[in-house]
């Protein structure tokens, strides 16, 4: 209920703003995802409890599917609604609020869907990323990031001292290439290459928006997609900044453990982002449904603020380094073995790589 109440409230405000054209709903949505979310996190920073171990979450699956379907009218309808009104403060409020939904809710939900065993749910997650013109992230995330996270072989794991504006283009292009190589090696010419699907879907999305709304709608649509992609890259940057796995004597990497991802316990934004800030447990158990992700505050490094707040700080590299570099050093020293330290939880067999 917590996840549904938070995510669907924001979706409803955005839908109201798009359908009615009212400025009040647009500003309410923007306030909800920024000021209200930040305030609620401060009031109840540690209020999100762990679900019982082994629990099933059929309602979570239903919500995830619903959010995947809601994404489509919000993205396309938002671009068309923005094109139909003059550029103004009200229009920019709707743009930012909608882009934050796409980057924080749709992205987190699509990430959840592409890890599901049901092919229909995975296809829905792929469709969300394709409509955001970011289809290659599906392959890069599953085939590259989950194998090489917290090593230099993963383009989406920020290096110690690396600023976000240096990281972002390197991660975008590097993940595109690495994901394509991984898919090509896996398939060896068999079947349709996923990158062809991603490209065809993106072209179809662009053509559809242009045909219905013209060049103005297309510009708004691309702007929303770029903003959403920026937030995804910020999330990767924040959640893995500076953390590295150790190299074993035989040259292999130590397994991913709880020490290799930054986490945030804040209840409201964790609800908004479907527990994406519980990142260490996700890497240990990629197939675990989002309501069941857990936190170990002794074994997992914790961010000093909620994930969205840290993403804003990351936009200013000197400030980011002032906040985070000493924390990276303090955390990395006792965990230099790369095993995750004394509180390390076991990594599930086969969790380092995700099947097709």
């Amino acid at each position: 209920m917590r996840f549904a109440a938070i995510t669907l409230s924001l979706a409803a405000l955005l839908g109201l703003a798009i359908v009615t054209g009212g400025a009040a709903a647009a500003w309410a949505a923007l306030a909800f995802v920024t000021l209200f979310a930040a305030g609620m996190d401060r009031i109840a920073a540690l209020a999100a409890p762990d679900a019982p171990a082994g629990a099933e979450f059929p309602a979570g699956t239903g919500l995830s599917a619903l959010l995947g379907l809601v994404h489509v009218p919000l993205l396309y309808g938002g671009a068309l609604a923005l094109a139909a009104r003059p550029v103004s403060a009200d229009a920019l409020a709707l743009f930012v609020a909608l882009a934050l939904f796409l980057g924080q809710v749709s992205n987190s939900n699509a990430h959840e869907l592409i890890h599901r065993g049901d092919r229909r749910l995975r296809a829905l997650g792929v469709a969300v990323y394709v409509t955001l013109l970011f289809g290659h992230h599906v392959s890069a995330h599953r085939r590259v990031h989950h194998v090489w996270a917290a090593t230099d072989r993963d383009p989406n794991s920020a290096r110690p001292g690396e600023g976000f504006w240096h990281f972002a283009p390197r991660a975008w292009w590097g993940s595109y290439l690495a994901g394509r190589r991984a898919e090509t090696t896996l398939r060896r010419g068999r079947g349709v290459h996923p990158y062809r699907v991603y490209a065809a879907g993106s072209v179809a999305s662009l053509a559809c928006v242009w045909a219905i709304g013209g060049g103005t709608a297309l510009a708004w649509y691309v702007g929303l997609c770029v903003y959403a992609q920026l937030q995804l890259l910020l999330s990767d940057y924040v959640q893995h900044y500076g953390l590295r796995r150790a190299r074993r004597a035989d040259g292999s990497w130590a397994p991913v453990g709880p020490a290799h991802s930054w986490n945030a316990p804040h209840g409201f934004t964790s609800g908004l982002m479907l527990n994406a800030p519980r990142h260490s447990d996700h890497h240990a158990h990629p197939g675990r449904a989002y309501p069941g992700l857990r936190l170990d505050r002794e074994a997992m490094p914790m961010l000093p603020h909620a994930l969205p707040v840290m993403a804003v700080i990351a936009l200013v590299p000197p400030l980011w380094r002032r906040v985070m570099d000493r924390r990276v050093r303090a955390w990395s020293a006792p965990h230099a073995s790369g095993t995750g330290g004394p509180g390390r939880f076991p990594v599930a067999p086969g969790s380092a790589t995700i099947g097709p």
Side-chain angles (χ1 to χ4, degrees):
M1 290 301 297
R2 179 171 61 92
F3 296 105
I6 295 172
T7 56
L8 295 180
S9 292
L10 178 56
L13 287 172
L14 289 168
L16 186 64
I18 290 170
V19 172
T20 66
W27 284 104
L30 181 58
F32 182 94
V33 75
T34 54
L35 299 177
F36 184 72
M40 290 298 294
D41 274 342
R42 290 182 65 86
I43 293 172
L46 305 178
D50 287 340
E56 298 294 332
F57 306 99
T61 299
L63 174 62
S64 197
L66 176 60
L67 288 172
L69 296 173
V70 165
H71 162 86
V72 176
L74 288 181
L75 173 58
Y76 292 109
L80 295 173
L82 286 165
R85 63 182 69 186
V87 176
S88 64
D90 295 339
L92 292 178
L94 175 58
F95 172 82
V96 174
L98 183 55
L100 290 173
F101 175 90
L102 297 172
Q104 296 183 23
V105 182
S106 281
N107 164 52
S108 298
N109 185 56
H111 169 259
E112 173 74 15
L113 290 168
I114 64 173
H115 282 293
R116 290 301 184 92
D118 188 313
R119 291 191 176 187
R120 295 167 298 178
L121 293 175
R122 286 207 308 272
L124 182 57
V126 172
V128 171
Y129 279 124
V130 166
T131 58
L132 291 174
L133 310 181
F134 210 42
H136 76 265
H137 180 75
V138 177
S139 294
H141 182 80
R142 296 170 71 237
R143 311 288 186 203
V144 180
H145 181 65
H146 269 271
V147 179
W148 303 112
T151 75
D152 287 343
R153 294 193 63 174
D154 174 34
N156 290 80
S157 292
R159 300 160 184 162
E162 183 177 25
F164 173 72
W165 299 110
H166 179 271
F167 164 84
R170 178 184 69 78
W172 199 104
W173 185 241
S175 63
Y176 177 91
L177 296 176
R180 187 175 65 180
R181 284 195 299 267
E183 292 286 8
T184 301
T185 300
L186 176 67
R187 298 177 186 279
R188 299 186 182 280
R190 295 170 298 188
V192 178
H193 198 291
Y195 272 51
R196 293 187 177 182
V197 177
Y198 307 151
S202 295
V203 170
S205 292
L206 292 166
C208 182
V209 173
W210 179 80
I212 298 174
T216 303
L218 185 63
W220 283 113
Y221 173 74
V222 172
L224 288 169
C225 292
V226 170
Y227 201 151
Q229 292 179 27
L230 180 69
Q231 291 175 83
L232 187 151
L233 292 170
L234 277 166
S235 181
D236 280 343
Y237 176 82
V238 170
Q239 291 179 118
H240 290 285
Y241 175 78
L243 301 177
R244 284 296 182 265
R245 290 148 64 183
R247 208 75 181 261
R248 291 166 166 167
D250 62 1
S252 64
W253 295 98
V256 176
H260 302 126
S261 303
W262 292 100
N263 303 268
H266 304 80
F268 192 89
T269 49
S270 287
L272 185 70
M273 303 177 74
L274 303 184
N275 266 347
R278 298 186 171 204
H279 206 59
S280 289
D281 198 21
H282 167 69
H283 270 279
H285 307 96
R288 177 172 287 173
Y290 65 89
L293 293 175
R294 308 177 72 81
L295 282 178
D296 184 337
R297 291 173 175 81
E298 294 184 0
M300 301 174 183
M302 295 290 161
L303 294 166
H305 306 288
L307 182 55
V309 175
M310 295 305 296
V312 174
I313 294 174
L315 297 173
V316 186
L319 178 59
W320 170 263
R321 294 196 60 187
R322 186 184 308 168
V323 171
M324 286 301 297
D325 280 8
R326 60 186 176 85
R327 288 181 166 85
V328 170
R329 290 191 296 268
W331 182 263
S332 298
H335 299 85
S337 66
T339 61
R344 178 175 181 264
F345 52 71
V347 177
S351 65
T353 183
I354 313 301

